[in-house]
Amino acid sequence: MRATRRFFFGAAAASLAAAREQTAASDRIRVGFIGCGGMGTARIRHFLEHPDVEAAAVCDVDRRHLDRAAALVESIRGRKPDAYGDFRRVLDRRDIDAVMIATPDHWHALPAILACQAGKDVFVEKPFSYSIGEGRRMAEAARRHARVTQMGNHIHNDL
């Protein structure tokens, strides 16, 4: 049988649909969401479009944001995540693989550096850092602790 472009894209779509239906627990990424305001909530929605992402925890100092984020995760996944007011409690959890940081800009560096030290991979909403010095310290922490870091890029939200 000749593999046409239509066949290829049809098979790819079927494969993606099957993956969304079944993702083994061992293939999931357990994420802690730090900062659940407007941008943080939008990021939670985008992350949870992927079947291999599990929202293990949400964290925000504003109880309204925290409650809204927990309810959002429950509405999408049918289970409420653990909720924290202190990001250090998220970093203390050994079962969390990565964190998404969408705190105010001037609060990106500290949780990102501490997350690297705690062995978590890090997704930071843009801007990556508030200053060049903070950015250098964040990059050094990622290198020193062999962590993957990613800065948010809104162009790729729908991929």
Side-chain angles (χ1 to χ4, degrees):
M1 177 176 142
R2 186 171 160 245
T4 65
R5 183 171 184 251
R6 180 169 288 163
F7 172 81
F8 173 78
F9 284 113
S15 177
L16 181 59
R20 287 182 193 263
E21 290 176 13
Q22 283 187 338
T23 302
S26 60
D27 292 333
R28 289 191 203 124
I29 301 168
R30 293 179 52 84
V31 179
F33 293 91
I34 300 171
C36 301
M39 188 54 64
T41 299
R43 287 295 181 187
I44 291 170
R45 287 181 195 280
H46 287 121
F47 272 74
L48 294 182
E49 289 175 2
H50 301 276
D52 58 346
V53 172
E54 181 180 336
V58 292
C59 176
D60 201 289
V61 296
D62 185 322
R63 189 69 196 193
R64 294 168 301 166
H65 294 174
L66 188 59
D67 291 343
R68 185 183 65 225
L72 172 65
V73 171
E74 184 176 32
S75 74
I76 294 171
R77 292 293 168 88
R79 184 187 75 76
K80 242 183 189 174
D82 294 332
Y84 301 97
D86 184 335
F87 75 89
R88 294 171 296 180
R89 302 296 72 87
V90 175
L91 302 182
D92 288 342
R93 291 192 37 182
R94 297 184 70 177
D95 64 326
I96 291 181
D97 305 305
V99 294
M100 185 284 309
I101 300 170
T103 56
D105 297 351
H106 63 280
W107 263 98
H108 287 180
L110 185 60
I113 292 167
L114 294 176
C116 290
Q117 291 173 354
K120 315 287 185 230
D121 293 326
V122 180
F123 177 98
V124 179
E125 188 50 59
K126 66 179 186 166
F128 185 70
S129 65
Y130 199 65
S131 70
I132 293 170
E134 282 183 356
R136 287 181 177 152
R137 286 175 182 80
M138 292 164 75
E140 176 54 34
R143 270 193 302 275
R144 184 178 322 117
H145 299 285
R147 302 317 318 159
V148 173
T149 57
Q150 166 70 42
M151 181 185 74
N153 187 339
H154 302 292
I155 295 169
H156 302 290
N157 277 353
D158 296 327
L159 295 180

